[in-house]
Amino acid sequence: MLKQGVQLNRDNGYANMKENLLARCSQFLATYREKCSEGAPLGQLILPESLKLMPLYVNSIVKNDAISGGSEMTVDDKVWQMELIRGIRTEDAMPLIYPRVMPVSDLQLQETDEMKELPKQVRASTEFFDNSKAYIIDNGVVLFVWIGSAVPQPWIQDVFGVGATNQIDTES
């Protein structure tokens, strides 16, 4: 749907693309309701795990930079995003639609200085972020570091070599 959204946006414009994707999402859910969950009470839609997040994903597609990139995006950046999406595999496109977010401020290295497993992911919404933690946000193309305003000063010093969050060089 992401690839189709990029193509529809390019051929028919944003409004038609958005209407088309939302209609397809509604059609998928209605068809599932009609064909697969006949025993469920009226007015209640019981979805399998694979479809529960579909409306979120469709909304994320509509808001993707390649489709609705804001005024801060250059034409070159938008075209680069569009071409990236056209050639990306499905499993690699998922983080572009819904990024992976992992807390990193609580990580402890083992004796071998090697991390055995990644931290448990949190939902990609600020309501799930803790101001006393730092997070890595991975969209499959770029890694971002989100640092809460209450992250302990020793962690800031150890990782960035500065005494406070307002002293971190955000350009490097």
Side-chain angles (χ1 to χ4, degrees):
M1 288 182 81
L2 176 62
K3 290 181 181 189
Q4 291 172 349
V6 167
Q7 191 64 41
L8 283 169
N9 185 47
R10 190 171 154 222
D11 295 342
N12 301 332
Y14 180 78
N16 288 338
M17 177 277 310
K18 182 178 179 180
E19 183 180 319
N20 184 290
L21 288 182
L22 295 178
R24 287 187 64 210
C25 180
S26 297
Q27 180 186 12
F28 285 151
L29 298 177
T31 301
Y32 181 83
R33 170 75 170 115
E34 179 184 332
K35 304 288 183 192
C36 301
S37 64
E38 296 165 344
L42 289 176
Q44 184 176 10
L45 181 60
I46 300 172
L47 297 172
E49 291 299 317
S50 60
L51 286 179
K52 283 184 179 176
L53 294 176
M54 188 173 186
L56 171 78
Y57 293 149
V58 170
N59 189 44
S60 295
I61 289 169
V62 169
K63 293 180 178 185
N64 187 278
D65 283 344
I67 294 172
S68 67
S71 60
E72 71 280 350
M73 274 189 83
T74 67
V75 173
D76 289 340
D77 288 340
K78 188 167 182 173
V79 169
W80 178 80
Q81 284 273 336
M82 291 168 68
E83 291 303 314
L84 173 74
I85 288 169
R86 286 182 48 177
I88 202 165
R89 298 179 322 185
T90 302
E91 57 270 17
D92 295 333
M94 287 307 295
L96 276 175
I97 296 170
Y98 194 77
R100 295 179 285 252
V101 179
M102 294 170 277
V104 293
S105 52
D106 296 336
L107 289 179
Q108 299 292 322
L109 290 178
Q110 305 301 322
E111 291 178 21
T112 61
D113 289 344
E114 186 176 305
M115 192 168 36
K116 301 292 184 201
E117 62 185 53
L118 291 173
K120 186 178 179 198
Q121 294 182 28
V122 297
R123 294 200 46 199
S125 174
T126 55
E127 64 191 57
F128 294 97
F129 285 25
D130 182 345
N131 249 0
S132 66
K133 294 185 179 186
Y135 298 87
I136 293 281
I137 303 170
D138 175 16
N139 73 359
V141 178
V142 180
L143 290 175
F144 300 92
V145 179
W146 185 91
I147 302 169
S149 59
V151 170
Q153 188 276 330
W155 189 87
I156 299 291
Q157 181 66 45
D158 290 345
V159 174
F160 296 100
V162 295
T165 54
N166 63 352
Q167 297 172 336
I168 295 173
D169 180 11
T170 59
E171 299 300 318
S172 20

